[in-house]
Amino acid sequence: MAGRLDARTRHIGRPGERMSYSNDGYGLISDIVRRYGGEPSFAHYVVRHILEPLEMHRSTLEFEKPRYDENCTHLYIHRNGPDGPREDMGRDFYDNAFVLMGGGALRSTIGDMKRYVRMLLGEGTGENGARILGRYYVREMQKPVQFYRFQQYYGYGLSTRFMDDLTVVGHGGGMTGISNMMLFSPELEAGVLVFCNTSNVPVSEIAAAAMRLLNGRAPVRQPEYTETAWSAETVENACGTYRSDEGTLLEIYRKDAGIGLRLDGAEQSIRIVGREMLLILAPHTASDLILCRDAENAVMGVRHGGRIIPREDRQNEPA
């Protein structure tokens, strides 16, 4: 497993230099748990040491269990974008499971996740008095360690950002028929959970709006960006095709006097807002894309959605 991860990430940078979110890492940690953690897998560890002590009885890491639960939601997906037809996916919780094999992918409820957020706000102690983690380790989970996305940093399992005068910590989740977001603030001693049984819903924006309301601010705040243009050198280096092992295909190409961008074959509306950064605009949100350069200053990939997507024409180069 370690060798496979090295082969797939060798163009991202040196160890510890950059972070690219990857579910493959759970495969590695699952093997570490199997060898040294006293449990047969990461999923078993989570059940025994987190879910059961917190009495999260409506949560599971089994792929098929929700299918046979009568009190379980149906899943939906919008085909051809948010305005496309809404397709009932039934209870196919196994769809896209290949990227989730190492961690199992938690299926939960808002009621159960409240218990988890209260444990984090309680610095490791659940509402039932169960001690899950020491205070030091809960703080380490929230400590900014690696650049993750624009104005967001990743700790050990959670991302941290600053919203007005508030420190906000959280994590999102999504797959076919699922869009979820968890946010909490130790300063406010409050959290927000947004669960949706439809793909590609801007739950992160909904959760952020709720956190702003809790902080006494207006729920919607438009970020301030200075529109600019990329230099000729940056355009020359950025144009190309980028592809991830999970199937994301991104193309940057010359268009008129600037650049254009296609994501999985669909033309995107974009704004250039930094020397090597642009925004991909959607009806209710905008996601950042940042160029990544190697030691020779060549563009070796792009950072988008918390991941580094490698440049396709460089993936087969020797490390």
Side-chain angles (χ1 to χ4, degrees):
M1 170 59 77
R4 284 168 52 192
L5 286 174
D6 283 344
R8 295 177 67 173
T9 61
R10 67 182 187 276
H11 291 304
I12 290 177
R14 298 180 179 181
E17 182 180 4
R18 295 188 178 96
M19 178 213 165
S20 180
Y21 189 93
S22 173
N23 288 297
D24 292 336
Y26 286 103
L28 180 61
I29 196 172
S30 192
D31 195 47
I32 293 172
V33 168
R34 179 183 65 83
R35 296 188 184 199
Y36 308 107
E39 300 291 345
S41 70
F42 174 76
H44 283 84
Y45 189 95
V46 169
V47 170
R48 183 171 178 181
H49 297 276
I50 300 175
L51 302 186
E52 291 179 352
L54 289 179
E55 301 177 7
M56 295 173 64
H57 302 308
R58 294 283 294 154
S59 302
T60 181
L61 286 94
E62 298 179 29
F63 289 117
E64 291 293 277
K65 188 175 180 179
R67 181 194 295 270
Y68 306 106
D69 188 333
E70 293 182 359
N71 188 23
C72 182
T73 187
H74 273 237
L75 306 177
Y76 298 88
I77 184 171
H78 285 289
R79 298 293 184 185
N80 303 318
D83 298 324
R86 190 168 182 252
E87 180 179 339
D88 187 344
M89 301 297 291
R91 293 178 175 175
D92 186 8
F93 288 87
Y94 196 77
D95 185 71
N96 284 333
F98 69 98
V99 300
L100 308 171
M101 289 298 183
L106 182 71
R107 277 80 171 165
S108 190
T109 66
I110 283 185
D112 268 13
M113 286 302 295
K114 282 182 180 178
R115 297 175 184 270
Y116 184 72
V117 174
R118 286 168 180 156
M119 180 273 293
L120 293 172
L121 288 171
E123 295 191 312
T125 301
E127 60 185 354
N128 61 359
R131 167 64 69 177
I132 304 300
L133 282 173
R135 290 182 174 86
Y136 169 81
Y137 297 104
V138 174
R139 292 167 183 166
E140 286 294 296
M141 291 174 68
Q142 304 171 36
K143 183 188 298 182
V145 176
Q146 277 282 2
F147 179 76
Y148 176 49
R149 303 179 68 167
F150 180 65
Q151 295 184 337
Q152 291 189 43
Y153 292 82
Y154 213 79
Y156 295 103
L158 296 169
S159 67
T160 298
R161 57 176 155 159
F162 304 98
M163 186 184 296
D164 301 320
D165 58 346
L166 202 62
T167 302
V168 178
V169 186
H171 204 290
M175 57 184 292
T176 304
I178 296 172
S179 302
N180 298 333
M181 190 66 197
M182 171 189 78
L183 285 181
F184 66 93
S185 170
E187 296 159 9
L188 285 182
E189 297 184 330
V192 173
L193 292 164
V194 182
F195 277 34
C196 184
N197 61 337
T198 305
S199 298
N200 300 321
V201 176
V203 289
S204 60
E205 298 302 315
I206 297 170
M211 289 300 301
R212 291 191 182 98
L213 282 172
L214 286 171
N215 196 31
R217 303 299 180 94
V220 178
R221 177 180 178 272
Q222 297 297 330
E224 297 179 2
Y225 296 101
T226 301
E227 199 152 354
T228 183
W230 284 356
S231 68
E233 183 274 336
T234 298
V235 172
E236 178 70 26
N237 277 274
C239 287
T241 302
Y242 304 80
R243 189 188 300 270
S244 74
D245 287 335
E246 293 178 331
T248 300
L249 175 64
L250 191 146
E251 303 165 84
I252 300 176
Y253 59 93
R254 295 180 183 276
K255 181 180 180 181
D256 302 326
I259 63 166
L261 187 144
R262 282 187 288 266
L263 181 60
D264 296 329
E267 187 81 16
Q268 303 295 307
S269 176
I270 64 173
R271 283 179 60 200
I272 307 296
V273 295
R275 189 171 62 89
E276 299 200 332
M277 173 178 164
L278 59 80
L279 296 178
I280 302 176
L281 307 177
H284 304 290
T285 186
S287 57
D288 54 281
L289 182 146
I290 303 171
L291 302 182
C292 297
R293 293 181 181 262
D294 61 17
E296 284 71 44
N297 205 38
V299 176
M300 43 68 66
V302 294
R303 179 179 292 280
H304 177 60
R307 289 172 166 84
I308 295 178
I309 305 174
R311 192 181 184 111
E312 191 170 44
D313 58 6
R314 300 195 62 198
Q315 290 191 50
N316 295 322
E317 293 179 2

